Amino acid sequence: MQNTCGKAEQEEWRKWLNEHGRRLLFCARQWTSSQAEAEDVLQDAFVRYWKNQRHLPGNPNALILTSVRRAAIDHGRSRTRRVNRETQAYELEDKVSFFEPGEGEIQESLEKAVRALPAEQREVVVMKIWGKLTFEEIARQLGISPNTAASRYRYALAALRKTVER
């Protein structure tokens, strides 16, 4: 990345940031939910200002404060969208079936049993049965030995058998 300003200008900005940084961080903190988010917002705002507005005339305080506020709003919106996506994905996970549509008590109990498996076993079962992969291929995908993949599969099937036999 090319440096677009001289040493004197850099030093001037360092001095300005040292003088006003705490105040700006305090302002950012009012619009965020944590100190870490406020620091991120302040950094984003300052980068925006530096790239787009630093050459504008006058005192930079108002422009930077506006950038801080906008960055905080953007950050909050982004966080809200992420939480909504994750919530929807989590809710959808319970609605998506591992099996073909149909009715039946056995299918429901198998569905619950597959979801109740430890993540490592469930992953292998899904890759083996629905993905139609060999234990060698599963092992490569997961970074484990083929024997470990096979044993996870056996443990998973044993747990599923217990559920079905009840």
Side-chain angles (χ1 to χ4, degrees):
M1 184 169 149
Q2 265 188 330
N3 190 355
T4 58
C5 65
K7 285 200 180 269
E9 189 179 8
Q10 284 181 1
E11 190 55 41
E12 184 181 327
W13 275 106
R14 274 195 196 98
K15 182 181 173 186
W16 187 92
L17 190 57
N18 284 334
E19 184 179 332
H20 300 285
R22 287 189 185 278
R23 180 181 52 79
L24 290 170
L25 184 60
F26 179 77
C27 292
R29 184 64 181 94
Q30 305 313 303
W31 294 307
T32 58
S33 61
S34 72
Q35 182 73 15
E37 282 183 11
E39 291 169 359
D40 290 345
V41 161
L42 182 58
Q43 182 176 347
D44 289 347
F46 194 74
V47 167
R48 285 180 189 180
Y49 175 82
W50 185 259
K51 285 182 176 179
N52 303 314
Q53 300 171 326
R54 70 184 165 128
H55 297 294
L56 295 177
N59 188 337
N61 287 336
L63 290 173
I64 290 180
L65 192 56
T66 299
S67 290
V68 168
R69 183 175 175 273
R70 287 181 180 158
I73 290 169
D74 291 347
H75 182 80
R77 287 178 181 156
S78 175
R79 184 182 61 232
T80 299
R81 285 191 300 268
R82 185 186 71 244
V83 167
N84 288 342
R85 278 192 312 270
E86 289 172 358
T87 301
Q88 288 172 352
Y90 181 77
E91 290 170 354
L92 183 62
E93 183 177 299
D94 289 338
K95 294 176 185 171
V96 175
S97 178
F98 286 109
F99 303 97
E100 292 295 319
E103 295 179 21
E105 199 173 296
I106 292 177
Q107 178 180 332
E108 285 181 32
S109 64
L110 276 174
E111 183 83 27
K112 286 180 185 176
V114 169
R115 290 191 190 284
L117 289 172
E120 299 87 18
Q121 292 177 12
R122 183 176 56 246
E123 192 171 40
V124 171
V125 166
V126 168
M127 293 173 103
K128 180 73 174 157
I129 295 175
W130 287 275
K132 299 187 186 305
L133 298 180
T134 66
F135 290 125
E136 286 285 332
E137 292 167 326
I138 293 169
R140 272 196 304 274
Q141 290 287 321
L142 300 178
I144 57 176
S145 74
N147 289 338
T148 301
S151 66
R152 287 180 184 177
Y153 183 74
R154 282 192 308 275
Y155 288 132
L157 290 183
L160 293 174
R161 256 187 232 104
K162 285 180 188 177
T163 301
V164 172
E165 291 172 355
R166 288 183 196 166

